[in-house]
Amino acid sequence: MTPVTPGWRIERRTLAHPDAAHLVERVQDEYAVLYGDPDSAPMEDDEFVGGRGAFLVGYLDETPVATAAWRWHAVPEGVRAGPAVELKRMYVVPELRRRGLARAMLAAVEADARAAGAAASVLETGLRQPEAIALYLSEGYREVPGFGHYQWSPLARCYAKEFV
């Protein structure tokens, strides 16, 4: 992929890697502001390694500024293809938004999941994140019935994209 900006690169990391952990903490702080609490959906480091998924960190020069991850997921209602992965922790630091970094991270995490054999990608997001929803819709995602940890939340929205 062509760099979004000079010095841009994406590296595979573990969820426990200091750069990944730092960015997860930042996104959790943002969720607390938006929704009153951090995201309580369970996530374990071993879900993102060894063929079970991947955790990607985007760097601008040597500074970690973005994340995107995938893990295998049961094919939820409304998804026509499988196997499926669930996208997690799509995040770009606020000071670098609107530069194409989120779109680059989404493309990278989808490519990584497809290379592992995924036929579809699903995700949960929230109504208080309209920019994220707009990104997903612009990249071919469509709304599907609720699934996962927040399936009953009135603020949650679920989306899917079939790769095939």
Side-chain angles (χ1 to χ4, degrees), residues 57-79:
V57 175
Y59 292 84
L60 194 53
D61 297 318
E62 298 306 313
T63 305
V65 298
T67 60
W70 67 266
R71 62 184 177 186
W72 292 107
H73 193 281
V75 179
E77 180 184 346
V79 178

PDB file of all heavy atoms in Angstrom, residues 57-79:
ATOM      1  N   VAL A  57      -0.722  -1.941  14.390  1.00  0.00           N
ATOM      2  CA  VAL A  57      -0.474  -0.588  14.888  1.00  0.00           C
ATOM      3  C   VAL A  57       0.103   0.230  13.743  1.00  0.00           C
ATOM      4  O   VAL A  57       1.045  -0.201  13.077  1.00  0.00           O
ATOM      5  CB  VAL A  57       0.501  -0.582  16.094  1.00  0.00           C
ATOM      6  CG1 VAL A  57       0.838   0.853  16.517  1.00  0.00           C
ATOM      7  CG2 VAL A  57      -0.105  -1.350  17.265  1.00  0.00           C
ATOM      8  N   GLY A  58      -0.485   1.399  13.515  1.00  0.00           N
ATOM      9  CA  GLY A  58       0.016   2.326  12.514  1.00  0.00           C
ATOM     10  C   GLY A  58       0.937   3.338  13.177  1.00  0.00           C
ATOM     11  O   GLY A  58       0.629   3.864  14.257  1.00  0.00           O
ATOM     12  N   TYR A  59       2.072   3.582  12.519  1.00  0.00           N
ATOM     13  CA  TYR A  59       3.077   4.505  13.039  1.00  0.00           C
ATOM     14  C   TYR A  59       3.260   5.657  12.072  1.00  0.00           C
ATOM     15  O   TYR A  59       3.279   5.460  10.857  1.00  0.00           O
ATOM     16  CB  TYR A  59       4.426   3.806  13.201  1.00  0.00           C
ATOM     17  CG  TYR A  59       4.452   2.761  14.290  1.00  0.00           C
ATOM     18  CD1 TYR A  59       4.021   1.467  14.045  1.00  0.00           C
ATOM     19  CD2 TYR A  59       4.915   3.079  15.559  1.00  0.00           C
ATOM     20  CE1 TYR A  59       4.045   0.502  15.041  1.00  0.00           C
ATOM     21  CE2 TYR A  59       4.949   2.115  16.565  1.00  0.00           C
ATOM     22  CZ  TYR A  59       4.512   0.840  16.296  1.00  0.00           C
ATOM     23  OH  TYR A  59       4.547  -0.104  17.296  1.00  0.00           O
ATOM     24  N   LEU A  60       3.442   6.822  12.614  1.00  0.00           N
ATOM     25  CA  LEU A  60       3.883   7.980  11.851  1.00  0.00           C
ATOM     26  C   LEU A  60       5.271   8.285  12.375  1.00  0.00           C
ATOM     27  O   LEU A  60       5.434   8.659  13.534  1.00  0.00           O
ATOM     28  CB  LEU A  60       2.934   9.155  12.039  1.00  0.00           C
ATOM     29  CG  LEU A  60       3.089  10.293  11.053  1.00  0.00           C
ATOM     30  CD1 LEU A  60       3.037   9.819   9.614  1.00  0.00           C
ATOM     31  CD2 LEU A  60       2.002  11.334  11.282  1.00  0.00           C
ATOM     32  N   ASP A  61       6.270   8.036  11.533  1.00  0.00           N
ATOM     33  CA  ASP A  61       7.659   8.009  11.957  1.00  0.00           C
ATOM     34  C   ASP A  61       7.775   6.936  13.034  1.00  0.00           C
ATOM     35  O   ASP A  61       7.437   5.807  12.772  1.00  0.00           O
ATOM     36  CB  ASP A  61       8.145   9.390  12.387  1.00  0.00           C
ATOM     37  CG  ASP A  61       8.096  10.383  11.209  1.00  0.00           C
ATOM     38  OD1 ASP A  61       8.480   9.969  10.085  1.00  0.00           O
ATOM     39  OD2 ASP A  61       7.651  11.514  11.400  1.00  0.00           O
ATOM     40  N   GLU A  62       8.159   7.259  14.227  1.00  0.00           N
ATOM     41  CA  GLU A  62       8.272   6.240  15.273  1.00  0.00           C
ATOM     42  C   GLU A  62       7.138   6.307  16.291  1.00  0.00           C
ATOM     43  O   GLU A  62       7.149   5.572  17.277  1.00  0.00           O
ATOM     44  CB  GLU A  62       9.626   6.372  15.987  1.00  0.00           C
ATOM     45  CG  GLU A  62      10.815   6.139  15.068  1.00  0.00           C
ATOM     46  CD  GLU A  62      10.740   4.798  14.336  1.00  0.00           C
ATOM     47  OE1 GLU A  62      10.464   3.766  14.979  1.00  0.00           O
ATOM     48  OE2 GLU A  62      10.955   4.788  13.102  1.00  0.00           O
ATOM     49  N   THR A  63       6.154   7.152  16.044  1.00  0.00           N
ATOM     50  CA  THR A  63       5.064   7.354  17.001  1.00  0.00           C
ATOM     51  C   THR A  63       3.860   6.485  16.651  1.00  0.00           C
ATOM     52  O   THR A  63       3.342   6.575  15.532  1.00  0.00           O
ATOM     53  CB  THR A  63       4.641   8.834  17.019  1.00  0.00           C
ATOM     54  OG1 THR A  63       5.795   9.635  17.301  1.00  0.00           O
ATOM     55  CG2 THR A  63       3.570   9.090  18.053  1.00  0.00           C
ATOM     56  N   PRO A  64       3.375   5.656  17.588  1.00  0.00           N
ATOM     57  CA  PRO A  64       2.175   4.867  17.333  1.00  0.00           C
ATOM     58  C   PRO A  64       0.942   5.782  17.349  1.00  0.00           C
ATOM     59  O   PRO A  64       0.725   6.519  18.311  1.00  0.00           O
ATOM     60  CB  PRO A  64       2.141   3.871  18.494  1.00  0.00           C
ATOM     61  CG  PRO A  64       2.920   4.527  19.587  1.00  0.00           C
ATOM     62  CD  PRO A  64       3.937   5.404  18.918  1.00  0.00           C
ATOM     63  N   VAL A  65       0.157   5.736  16.261  1.00  0.00           N
ATOM     64  CA  VAL A  65      -0.955   6.686  16.131  1.00  0.00           C
ATOM     65  C   VAL A  65      -2.285   6.047  15.749  1.00  0.00           C
ATOM     66  O   VAL A  65      -3.310   6.730  15.734  1.00  0.00           O
ATOM     67  CB  VAL A  65      -0.620   7.808  15.122  1.00  0.00           C
ATOM     68  CG1 VAL A  65       0.585   8.626  15.592  1.00  0.00           C
ATOM     69  CG2 VAL A  65      -0.394   7.257  13.721  1.00  0.00           C
ATOM     70  N   ALA A  66      -2.293   4.742  15.431  1.00  0.00           N
ATOM     71  CA  ALA A  66      -3.540   4.120  14.974  1.00  0.00           C
ATOM     72  C   ALA A  66      -3.501   2.622  15.251  1.00  0.00           C
ATOM     73  O   ALA A  66      -2.429   2.013  15.307  1.00  0.00           O
ATOM     74  CB  ALA A  66      -3.722   4.367  13.478  1.00  0.00           C
ATOM     75  N   THR A  67      -4.686   2.034  15.403  1.00  0.00           N
ATOM     76  CA  THR A  67      -4.802   0.593  15.585  1.00  0.00           C
ATOM     77  C   THR A  67      -5.974   0.052  14.777  1.00  0.00           C
ATOM     78  O   THR A  67      -6.923   0.772  14.454  1.00  0.00           O
ATOM     79  CB  THR A  67      -5.039   0.196  17.061  1.00  0.00           C
ATOM     80  OG1 THR A  67      -6.249   0.796  17.521  1.00  0.00           O
ATOM     81  CG2 THR A  67      -3.888   0.601  17.949  1.00  0.00           C
ATOM     82  N   ALA A  68      -5.902  -1.227  14.503  1.00  0.00           N
ATOM     83  CA  ALA A  68      -7.000  -2.001  13.918  1.00  0.00           C
ATOM     84  C   ALA A  68      -6.677  -3.463  14.180  1.00  0.00           C
ATOM     85  O   ALA A  68      -5.522  -3.868  14.084  1.00  0.00           O
ATOM     86  CB  ALA A  68      -7.129  -1.744  12.419  1.00  0.00           C
ATOM     87  N   ALA A  69      -7.692  -4.228  14.509  1.00  0.00           N
ATOM     88  CA  ALA A  69      -7.472  -5.638  14.819  1.00  0.00           C
ATOM     89  C   ALA A  69      -8.612  -6.472  14.254  1.00  0.00           C
ATOM     90  O   ALA A  69      -9.694  -5.955  13.976  1.00  0.00           O
ATOM     91  CB  ALA A  69      -7.378  -5.834  16.335  1.00  0.00           C
ATOM     92  N   TRP A  70      -8.342  -7.778  14.107  1.00  0.00           N
ATOM     93  CA  TRP A  70      -9.399  -8.716  13.749  1.00  0.00           C
ATOM     94  C   TRP A  70      -9.218  -9.989  14.557  1.00  0.00           C
ATOM     95  O   TRP A  70      -8.115 -10.337  14.959  1.00  0.00           O
ATOM     96  CB  TRP A  70      -9.429  -9.008  12.241  1.00  0.00           C
ATOM     97  CG  TRP A  70      -8.253  -9.757  11.686  1.00  0.00           C
ATOM     98  CD1 TRP A  70      -7.133  -9.222  11.123  1.00  0.00           C
ATOM     99  CD2 TRP A  70      -8.082 -11.183  11.621  1.00  0.00           C
ATOM    100  NE1 TRP A  70      -6.279 -10.210  10.721  1.00  0.00           N
ATOM    101  CE2 TRP A  70      -6.836 -11.429  11.007  1.00  0.00           C
ATOM    102  CE3 TRP A  70      -8.856 -12.269  12.025  1.00  0.00           C
ATOM    103  CZ2 TRP A  70      -6.348 -12.716  10.792  1.00  0.00           C
ATOM    104  CZ3 TRP A  70      -8.369 -13.556  11.811  1.00  0.00           C
ATOM    105  CH2 TRP A  70      -7.130 -13.757  11.194  1.00  0.00           C
ATOM    106  N   ARG A  71     -10.357 -10.652  14.785  1.00  0.00           N
ATOM    107  CA  ARG A  71     -10.361 -11.969  15.414  1.00  0.00           C
ATOM    108  C   ARG A  71     -11.509 -12.754  14.773  1.00  0.00           C
ATOM    109  O   ARG A  71     -12.479 -12.167  14.284  1.00  0.00           O
ATOM    110  CB  ARG A  71     -10.541 -11.872  16.929  1.00  0.00           C
ATOM    111  CG  ARG A  71     -11.865 -11.253  17.360  1.00  0.00           C
ATOM    112  CD  ARG A  71     -11.928 -11.091  18.855  1.00  0.00           C
ATOM    113  NE  ARG A  71     -13.171 -10.419  19.269  1.00  0.00           N
ATOM    114  CZ  ARG A  71     -13.427 -10.053  20.502  1.00  0.00           C
ATOM    115  NH1 ARG A  71     -12.533 -10.272  21.457  1.00  0.00           N
ATOM    116  NH2 ARG A  71     -14.565  -9.463  20.800  1.00  0.00           N
ATOM    117  N   TRP A  72     -11.386 -14.075  14.753  1.00  0.00           N
ATOM    118  CA  TRP A  72     -12.435 -14.902  14.167  1.00  0.00           C
ATOM    119  C   TRP A  72     -13.732 -14.726  14.938  1.00  0.00           C
ATOM    120  O   TRP A  72     -13.716 -14.501  16.158  1.00  0.00           O
ATOM    121  CB  TRP A  72     -12.013 -16.368  14.145  1.00  0.00           C
ATOM    122  CG  TRP A  72     -10.885 -16.610  13.193  1.00  0.00           C
ATOM    123  CD1 TRP A  72      -9.589 -16.867  13.523  1.00  0.00           C
ATOM    124  CD2 TRP A  72     -10.941 -16.558  11.777  1.00  0.00           C
ATOM    125  NE1 TRP A  72      -8.833 -16.987  12.382  1.00  0.00           N
ATOM    126  CE2 TRP A  72      -9.642 -16.800  11.287  1.00  0.00           C
ATOM    127  CE3 TRP A  72     -11.960 -16.323  10.848  1.00  0.00           C
ATOM    128  CZ2 TRP A  72      -9.341 -16.828   9.932  1.00  0.00           C
ATOM    129  CZ3 TRP A  72     -11.656 -16.344   9.493  1.00  0.00           C
ATOM    130  CH2 TRP A  72     -10.372 -16.599   9.042  1.00  0.00           C
ATOM    131  N   HIS A  73     -14.835 -14.811  14.223  1.00  0.00           N
ATOM    132  CA  HIS A  73     -16.155 -14.605  14.817  1.00  0.00           C
ATOM    133  C   HIS A  73     -17.162 -15.501  14.118  1.00  0.00           C
ATOM    134  O   HIS A  73     -17.079 -15.701  12.903  1.00  0.00           O
ATOM    135  CB  HIS A  73     -16.568 -13.130  14.659  1.00  0.00           C
ATOM    136  CG  HIS A  73     -17.730 -12.734  15.489  1.00  0.00           C
ATOM    137  ND1 HIS A  73     -19.019 -13.023  15.150  1.00  0.00           N
ATOM    138  CD2 HIS A  73     -17.791 -12.058  16.664  1.00  0.00           C
ATOM    139  CE1 HIS A  73     -19.838 -12.539  16.076  1.00  0.00           C
ATOM    140  NE2 HIS A  73     -19.109 -11.955  17.005  1.00  0.00           N
ATOM    141  N   ALA A  74     -18.120 -16.017  14.856  1.00  0.00           N
ATOM    142  CA  ALA A  74     -19.213 -16.766  14.242  1.00  0.00           C
ATOM    143  C   ALA A  74     -19.941 -15.851  13.257  1.00  0.00           C
ATOM    144  O   ALA A  74     -20.049 -14.642  13.485  1.00  0.00           O
ATOM    145  CB  ALA A  74     -20.177 -17.253  15.321  1.00  0.00           C
ATOM    146  N   VAL A  75     -20.414 -16.416  12.177  1.00  0.00           N
ATOM    147  CA  VAL A  75     -21.115 -15.618  11.163  1.00  0.00           C
ATOM    148  C   VAL A  75     -22.465 -15.198  11.734  1.00  0.00           C
ATOM    149  O   VAL A  75     -23.326 -16.037  12.005  1.00  0.00           O
ATOM    150  CB  VAL A  75     -21.305 -16.419   9.861  1.00  0.00           C
ATOM    151  CG1 VAL A  75     -22.052 -15.592   8.829  1.00  0.00           C
ATOM    152  CG2 VAL A  75     -19.958 -16.874   9.317  1.00  0.00           C
ATOM    153  N   PRO A  76     -22.659 -13.879  11.963  1.00  0.00           N
ATOM    154  CA  PRO A  76     -23.925 -13.429  12.551  1.00  0.00           C
ATOM    155  C   PRO A  76     -25.061 -13.372  11.528  1.00  0.00           C
ATOM    156  O   PRO A  76     -24.831 -13.414  10.315  1.00  0.00           O
ATOM    157  CB  PRO A  76     -23.600 -12.036  13.080  1.00  0.00           C
ATOM    158  CG  PRO A  76     -22.428 -11.575  12.299  1.00  0.00           C
ATOM    159  CD  PRO A  76     -21.709 -12.791  11.832  1.00  0.00           C
ATOM    160  N   GLU A  77     -26.259 -13.254  12.043  1.00  0.00           N
ATOM    161  CA  GLU A  77     -27.451 -13.109  11.208  1.00  0.00           C
ATOM    162  C   GLU A  77     -27.265 -11.933  10.246  1.00  0.00           C
ATOM    163  O   GLU A  77     -26.731 -10.897  10.617  1.00  0.00           O
ATOM    164  CB  GLU A  77     -28.663 -12.850  12.109  1.00  0.00           C
ATOM    165  CG  GLU A  77     -29.958 -12.671  11.370  1.00  0.00           C
ATOM    166  CD  GLU A  77     -31.112 -12.315  12.295  1.00  0.00           C
ATOM    167  OE1 GLU A  77     -30.977 -12.459  13.528  1.00  0.00           O
ATOM    168  OE2 GLU A  77     -32.138 -11.869  11.774  1.00  0.00           O
ATOM    169  N   GLY A  78     -27.699 -12.132   9.029  1.00  0.00           N
ATOM    170  CA  GLY A  78     -27.623 -11.070   8.039  1.00  0.00           C
ATOM    171  C   GLY A  78     -26.347 -11.058   7.225  1.00  0.00           C
ATOM    172  O   GLY A  78     -26.227 -10.290   6.281  1.00  0.00           O
ATOM    173  N   VAL A  79     -25.390 -11.923   7.579  1.00  0.00           N
ATOM    174  CA  VAL A  79     -24.133 -11.996   6.824  1.00  0.00           C
ATOM    175  C   VAL A  79     -24.237 -13.208   5.907  1.00  0.00           C
ATOM    176  O   VAL A  79     -24.528 -14.310   6.349  1.00  0.00           O
ATOM    177  CB  VAL A  79     -22.916 -12.097   7.763  1.00  0.00           C
ATOM    178  CG1 VAL A  79     -21.628 -12.233   6.980  1.00  0.00           C
ATOM    179  CG2 VAL A  79     -22.866 -10.860   8.655  1.00  0.00           C
TER     180      VAL A  79
END
